[in-house]
């Protein structure tokens, strides 16, 4: 079992729709969770992070965390073609400084 | 804020030569920097964690004598790929962590091609 599992996609959504990206993780010691976006050929850029169970909203983005289920998700409202990228889920490894990256979900938003 | 730069952005070298990549945090102090490698269509792979003033911690399977890391100051870490071979061709990305925080900010990456 991989430490961080993400559906590789592509997840295809129409412009203006809600995109839902999911991630499960195996390390129960993880306490902080990060979402990064990576455009093709570029380095990752931080979207948002979440520490507590529940929802956290930042503009069009909402992160959801359920530590009991070891599940974290990212919702993108009013999806735009410019949101087309690979989204990386990254829990912080319990007891360590490092982030464990999933393989990412490729999102395609079509006009 | 939280800007990280890398230099060079791309480099082409001959097999057997060494290449140094610099990673700088421009507007904050980073006690910890990380080096990643990413092959085409693959996930980020953490190579090593670099702490200012101490030896880097390498991930399993990463040769510390081949990938030399120096973190001499709170704003600069360097990765030297020694005796590079074509299989070392990859996208090398550094990140820096704000002191006391979990968040990592990534540099723009360095694309290395070894002929």
């Amino acid at each position: 079992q991989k430490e961080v599992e993400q559906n590789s996609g592509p997840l295809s959504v129409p412009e203006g729709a809600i995109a839902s990206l999911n991630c499960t993780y195996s390390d129960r010691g993880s306490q902080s969770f990060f979402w990064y976006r990576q455009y093709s050929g570029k380095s990752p850029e931080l979207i948002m992070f979440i520490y507590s169970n529940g929802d956290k909203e930042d503009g069009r983005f909402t992160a959801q965390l359920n530590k009991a289920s070891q599940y974290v998700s990212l919702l993108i409202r009013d999806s735009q073609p410019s949101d087309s990228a690979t989204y990386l889920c990254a829990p912080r490894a319990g007891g360590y400084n490092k982030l464990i990256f999933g393989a990412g979900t490729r999102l395609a938003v079509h006009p | 804020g939280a800007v990280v730069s890398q230099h060079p952005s791309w480099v082409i070298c001959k097999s057997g030569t060494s290449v140094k990549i610099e990673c700088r945090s421009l507007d904050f102090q980073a006690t910890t920097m990380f080096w990643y490698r990413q092959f085409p269509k693959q996930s980020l792979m953490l190579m090593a964690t670099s702490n200012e003033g101490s030896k880097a911690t390498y991930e399993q399977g990463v040769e510390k004598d081949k990938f030399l890391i120096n973190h001499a100051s709170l704003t600069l870490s360097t990765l030297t790929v020694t005796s590079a071979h074509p299989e070392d061709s990859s996208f090398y990305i550094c990140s820096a962590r704000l002191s006391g925080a979990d968040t990592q900010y990534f540099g723009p990456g360095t694309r290395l091609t070894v002929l």
Side-chain angles (χ1 to χ4, degrees):
Chain A
Q1 182 189 4
K2 291 181 182 176
E3 293 183 85
V4 180
E5 299 249 21
Q6 293 183 258
N7 189 319
S8 61
L11 172 65
S12 182
V13 300
E15 184 174 356
I18 296 175
S20 177
L21 305 160
N22 304 317
C23 171
T24 57
Y25 60 94
S26 61
D27 184 354
R28 285 197 172 275
S30 293
Q31 296 297 317
S32 51
F33 304 84
F34 298 80
W35 282 99
Y36 287 85
R37 174 172 62 193
Q38 186 175 24
Y39 291 108
S40 181
K42 303 294 186 181
S43 67
E45 54 180 325
L46 179 70
I47 297 175
M48 63 187 302
F49 56 85
I50 185 167
Y51 294 159
S52 303
N53 280 327
D55 296 359
K56 179 183 178 182
E57 188 173 317
D58 184 358
R60 294 188 296 115
F61 300 98
T62 299
Q64 299 175 317
L65 174 61
N66 184 325
K67 291 183 182 178
S69 301
Q70 295 174 254
Y71 174 89
V72 59
S73 67
L74 180 71
L75 300 178
I76 307 174
R77 288 182 299 283
D78 188 24
S79 296
Q80 301 297 310
S82 58
D83 294 325
S84 299
T86 297
Y87 289 79
L88 305 171
C89 168
R92 175 179 170 176
Y96 294 90
N97 260 337
K98 60 185 180 182
L99 301 181
I100 307 299
F101 281 87
T105 297
R106 190 156 62 90
L107 173 67
V109 181
H110 54 86
Chain B
V3 178
V4 178
S5 70
Q6 271 185 254
H7 179 81
S9 55
W10 60 270
V11 57
I12 301 172
C13 70
K14 293 182 179 179
S15 186
T17 60
S18 294
V19 174
K20 180 185 281 189
I21 302 170
E22 290 186 351
C23 177
R24 294 182 185 272
S25 56
L26 297 184
D27 52 0
F28 66 100
Q29 293 186 331
T31 52
T32 306
M33 290 184 173
F34 303 84
W35 287 96
Y36 295 83
R37 181 167 56 179
Q38 188 174 36
F39 292 106
K41 299 191 185 302
Q42 294 189 24
S43 182
L44 284 171
M45 187 195 82
L46 178 64
M47 299 175 68
T49 302
S50 165
N51 290 296
E52 186 264 339
S54 63
K55 289 184 180 179
T57 301
Y58 290 82
E59 295 297 302
Q60 194 172 8
V62 178
E63 298 175 61
K64 63 179 181 181
D65 294 331
K66 179 170 181 62
F67 299 99
L68 302 179
I69 292 172
N70 184 276
H71 193 159
S73 77
L74 286 171
T75 59
L76 173 64
S77 176
T78 61
L79 167 69
T80 301
V81 183
T82 63
S83 187
H85 287 94
E87 57 265 30
D88 298 322
S89 298
S90 188
F91 191 38
Y92 291 85
I93 314 171
C94 74
S95 70
R97 189 176 67 95
L98 282 163
S99 298
D102 286 344
T103 307
Q104 290 183 29
Y105 296 93
F106 283 84
T110 297
R111 201 162 297 281
L112 170 64
T113 302
V114 184
L115 302 177

